[in-house]
PDB file of all heavy atoms in Angstrom:
ATOM      1  N   GLY A 252       1.066   7.813  -6.717  1.00 98.00           N
ATOM      2  CA  GLY A 252       1.471   7.458  -7.999  1.00 98.00           C
ATOM      3  C   GLY A 252       0.434   8.062  -9.019  1.00 98.00           C
ATOM      4  O   GLY A 252      -0.602   8.567  -8.595  1.00 98.00           O
ATOM      5  N   LYS A 253       0.743   8.090 -10.241  1.00 98.00           N
ATOM      6  CA  LYS A 253      -0.126   8.534 -11.338  1.00 98.00           C
ATOM      7  C   LYS A 253       0.194   7.725 -12.525  1.00 98.00           C
ATOM      8  O   LYS A 253       0.921   8.140 -13.472  1.00 98.00           O
ATOM      9  CB  LYS A 253       0.100  10.049 -11.469  1.00 98.00           C
ATOM     10  CG  LYS A 253      -0.935  10.708 -12.414  1.00 98.00           C
ATOM     11  CD  LYS A 253      -2.249  10.867 -11.719  1.00 98.00           C
ATOM     12  CE  LYS A 253      -3.386  11.328 -12.665  1.00 98.00           C
ATOM     13  NZ  LYS A 253      -4.687  11.364 -12.061  1.00 98.00           N
ATOM     14  N   SER A 287      -4.120   5.215 -13.961  1.00 98.00           N
ATOM     15  CA  SER A 287      -5.091   6.327 -14.046  1.00 98.00           C
ATOM     16  C   SER A 287      -4.940   7.172 -15.253  1.00 98.00           C
ATOM     17  O   SER A 287      -5.765   8.011 -15.572  1.00 98.00           O
ATOM     18  CB  SER A 287      -5.050   7.201 -12.766  1.00 98.00           C
ATOM     19  OG  SER A 287      -3.732   7.616 -12.513  1.00 98.00           O
ATOM     20  N   TYR A 337     -12.063  17.220  -8.187  1.00 97.00           N
ATOM     21  CA  TYR A 337     -11.299  17.039  -9.344  1.00 97.00           C
ATOM     22  C   TYR A 337     -12.214  16.857 -10.610  1.00 97.00           C
ATOM     23  O   TYR A 337     -11.952  17.484 -11.659  1.00 97.00           O
ATOM     24  CB  TYR A 337     -10.391  15.763  -9.263  1.00 97.00           C
ATOM     25  CG  TYR A 337      -9.145  15.993  -8.553  1.00 97.00           C
ATOM     26  CD1 TYR A 337      -8.930  15.548  -7.335  1.00 97.00           C
ATOM     27  CD2 TYR A 337      -8.096  16.810  -9.239  1.00 97.00           C
ATOM     28  CE1 TYR A 337      -7.692  15.753  -6.701  1.00 97.00           C
ATOM     29  CE2 TYR A 337      -6.930  17.052  -8.582  1.00 97.00           C
ATOM     30  CZ  TYR A 337      -6.675  16.529  -7.334  1.00 97.00           C
ATOM     31  OH  TYR A 337      -5.505  16.831  -6.670  1.00 97.00           O
ATOM     32  N   CYS A 378      -2.468  18.611 -18.058  1.00 97.00           N
ATOM     33  CA  CYS A 378      -3.676  19.100 -17.238  1.00 97.00           C
ATOM     34  C   CYS A 378      -3.645  18.486 -15.867  1.00 97.00           C
ATOM     35  O   CYS A 378      -2.985  17.432 -15.601  1.00 97.00           O
ATOM     36  CB  CYS A 378      -4.969  18.825 -17.979  1.00 97.00           C
ATOM     37  SG  CYS A 378      -5.414  17.081 -18.005  1.00 97.00           S
ATOM     38  N   GLN A 379      -4.239  19.236 -14.925  1.00 97.00           N
ATOM     39  CA  GLN A 379      -4.350  18.757 -13.560  1.00 97.00           C
ATOM     40  C   GLN A 379      -4.794  17.365 -13.400  1.00 97.00           C
ATOM     41  O   GLN A 379      -4.184  16.598 -12.609  1.00 97.00           O
ATOM     42  CB  GLN A 379      -5.242  19.702 -12.816  1.00 97.00           C
ATOM     43  CG  GLN A 379      -5.326  19.459 -11.243  1.00 97.00           C
ATOM     44  CD  GLN A 379      -6.504  20.128 -10.623  1.00 97.00           C
ATOM     45  OE1 GLN A 379      -7.546  20.274 -11.324  1.00 97.00           O
ATOM     46  NE2 GLN A 379      -6.410  20.542  -9.405  1.00 97.00           N
ATOM     47  N   LEU A 380      -5.834  16.917 -14.140  1.00 97.00           N
ATOM     48  CA  LEU A 380      -6.342  15.628 -14.092  1.00 97.00           C
ATOM     49  C   LEU A 380      -5.240  14.592 -14.359  1.00 97.00           C
ATOM     50  O   LEU A 380      -5.372  13.389 -13.917  1.00 97.00           O
ATOM     51  CB  LEU A 380      -7.498  15.425 -15.024  1.00 97.00           C
ATOM     52  CG  LEU A 380      -8.803  16.125 -14.722  1.00 97.00           C
ATOM     53  CD1 LEU A 380      -9.679  16.149 -15.943  1.00 97.00           C
ATOM     54  CD2 LEU A 380      -9.486  15.409 -13.567  1.00 97.00           C
ATOM     55  N   ASN A 381      -4.277  14.876 -15.188  1.00 98.00           N
ATOM     56  CA  ASN A 381      -3.231  13.938 -15.429  1.00 98.00           C
ATOM     57  C   ASN A 381      -2.006  14.066 -14.631  1.00 98.00           C
ATOM     58  O   ASN A 381      -1.095  13.216 -14.780  1.00 98.00           O
ATOM     59  CB  ASN A 381      -2.780  14.105 -17.006  1.00 98.00           C
ATOM     60  CG  ASN A 381      -3.560  13.014 -17.826  1.00 98.00           C
ATOM     61  OD1 ASN A 381      -4.811  12.775 -17.513  1.00 98.00           O
ATOM     62  ND2 ASN A 381      -2.979  12.494 -18.814  1.00 98.00           N
ATOM     63  N   GLN A 382      -1.886  15.152 -13.931  1.00 98.00           N
ATOM     64  CA  GLN A 382      -0.656  15.469 -13.153  1.00 98.00           C
ATOM     65  C   GLN A 382      -0.852  15.125 -11.660  1.00 98.00           C
ATOM     66  O   GLN A 382       0.160  14.881 -11.020  1.00 98.00           O
ATOM     67  CB  GLN A 382      -0.227  16.898 -13.361  1.00 98.00           C
ATOM     68  CG  GLN A 382       0.299  17.216 -14.796  1.00 98.00           C
ATOM     69  CD  GLN A 382       1.552  16.361 -15.183  1.00 98.00           C
ATOM     70  OE1 GLN A 382       2.401  16.245 -14.472  1.00 98.00           O
ATOM     71  NE2 GLN A 382       1.611  15.767 -16.390  1.00 98.00           N
ATOM     72  N   GLU A 383      -2.081  15.232 -11.229  1.00 98.00           N
ATOM     73  CA  GLU A 383      -2.265  15.039  -9.694  1.00 98.00           C
ATOM     74  C   GLU A 383      -2.951  13.743  -9.470  1.00 98.00           C
ATOM     75  O   GLU A 383      -3.819  13.253 -10.239  1.00 98.00           O
ATOM     76  CB  GLU A 383      -3.068  16.205  -9.138  1.00 98.00           C
ATOM     77  CG  GLU A 383      -2.295  17.570  -9.298  1.00 98.00           C
ATOM     78  CD  GLU A 383      -3.067  18.743  -8.720  1.00 98.00           C
ATOM     79  OE1 GLU A 383      -4.016  18.457  -7.908  1.00 98.00           O
ATOM     80  OE2 GLU A 383      -2.714  19.834  -9.032  1.00 98.00           O
ATOM     81  N   GLU A 384      -2.498  13.146  -8.260  1.00 98.00           N
ATOM     82  CA  GLU A 384      -3.095  11.871  -7.941  1.00 98.00           C
ATOM     83  C   GLU A 384      -4.426  12.039  -7.378  1.00 98.00           C
ATOM     84  O   GLU A 384      -4.648  12.815  -6.399  1.00 98.00           O
ATOM     85  CB  GLU A 384      -2.220  11.203  -6.785  1.00 98.00           C
ATOM     86  CG  GLU A 384      -2.749   9.798  -6.519  1.00 98.00           C
ATOM     87  CD  GLU A 384      -1.959   9.159  -5.306  1.00 98.00           C
ATOM     88  OE1 GLU A 384      -1.683   9.843  -4.294  1.00 98.00           O
ATOM     89  OE2 GLU A 384      -1.703   7.995  -5.467  1.00 98.00           O
ATOM     90  N   ILE A 385      -5.530  11.474  -8.035  1.00 98.00           N
ATOM     91  CA  ILE A 385      -6.880  11.564  -7.579  1.00 98.00           C
ATOM     92  C   ILE A 385      -7.279  10.460  -6.701  1.00 98.00           C
ATOM     93  O   ILE A 385      -7.938  10.610  -5.686  1.00 98.00           O
ATOM     94  CB  ILE A 385      -7.822  11.634  -8.824  1.00 98.00           C
ATOM     95  CG1 ILE A 385      -7.465  12.831  -9.790  1.00 98.00           C
ATOM     96  CG2 ILE A 385      -9.300  11.727  -8.346  1.00 98.00           C
ATOM     97  CD1 ILE A 385      -8.232  12.858 -11.008  1.00 98.00           C
ATOM     98  N   PHE A 386      -6.762   9.259  -6.941  1.00 98.00           N
ATOM     99  CA  PHE A 386      -6.971   8.158  -5.960  1.00 98.00           C
ATOM    100  C   PHE A 386      -8.400   7.693  -5.785  1.00 98.00           C
ATOM    101  O   PHE A 386      -8.839   7.457  -4.707  1.00 98.00           O
ATOM    102  CB  PHE A 386      -6.226   8.378  -4.731  1.00 98.00           C
ATOM    103  CG  PHE A 386      -5.655   7.141  -4.112  1.00 98.00           C
ATOM    104  CD1 PHE A 386      -4.681   6.337  -4.779  1.00 98.00           C
ATOM    105  CD2 PHE A 386      -5.938   6.716  -2.788  1.00 98.00           C
ATOM    106  CE1 PHE A 386      -4.186   5.178  -4.224  1.00 98.00           C
ATOM    107  CE2 PHE A 386      -5.402   5.619  -2.206  1.00 98.00           C
ATOM    108  CZ  PHE A 386      -4.514   4.838  -2.954  1.00 98.00           C
ATOM    109  N   VAL A 408       5.511  13.274 -15.634  1.00 98.00           N
ATOM    110  CA  VAL A 408       4.768  13.453 -14.443  1.00 98.00           C
ATOM    111  C   VAL A 408       5.791  13.282 -13.217  1.00 98.00           C
ATOM    112  O   VAL A 408       6.890  12.765 -13.417  1.00 98.00           O
ATOM    113  CB  VAL A 408       3.686  12.271 -14.396  1.00 98.00           C
ATOM    114  CG1 VAL A 408       4.375  10.999 -14.163  1.00 98.00           C
ATOM    115  CG2 VAL A 408       2.544  12.555 -13.476  1.00 98.00           C
ATOM    116  N   TYR A 410       5.503  11.550 -10.551  1.00 98.00           N
ATOM    117  CA  TYR A 410       5.501  10.205  -9.987  1.00 98.00           C
ATOM    118  C   TYR A 410       6.138   9.152 -10.839  1.00 98.00           C
ATOM    119  O   TYR A 410       6.296   9.376 -12.031  1.00 98.00           O
ATOM    120  CB  TYR A 410       3.969   9.830  -9.715  1.00 98.00           C
ATOM    121  CG  TYR A 410       3.238  10.731  -8.772  1.00 98.00           C
ATOM    122  CD1 TYR A 410       2.350  11.642  -9.273  1.00 98.00           C
ATOM    123  CD2 TYR A 410       3.552  10.699  -7.394  1.00 98.00           C
ATOM    124  CE1 TYR A 410       1.672  12.483  -8.430  1.00 98.00           C
ATOM    125  CE2 TYR A 410       2.888  11.540  -6.583  1.00 98.00           C
ATOM    126  CZ  TYR A 410       1.870  12.438  -7.007  1.00 98.00           C
ATOM    127  OH  TYR A 410       1.267  13.385  -6.159  1.00 98.00           O
TER     128      TYR A 410
END
Side-chain angles (χ1 to χ4, degrees):
K253 192 72 188 175
S287 52
Y337 275 109
C378 69
Q379 184 198 30
L380 288 164
N381 264 38
Q382 292 295 318
E383 294 182 18
E384 186 184 42
I385 300 174
F386 214 53
V408 72
Y410 298 106

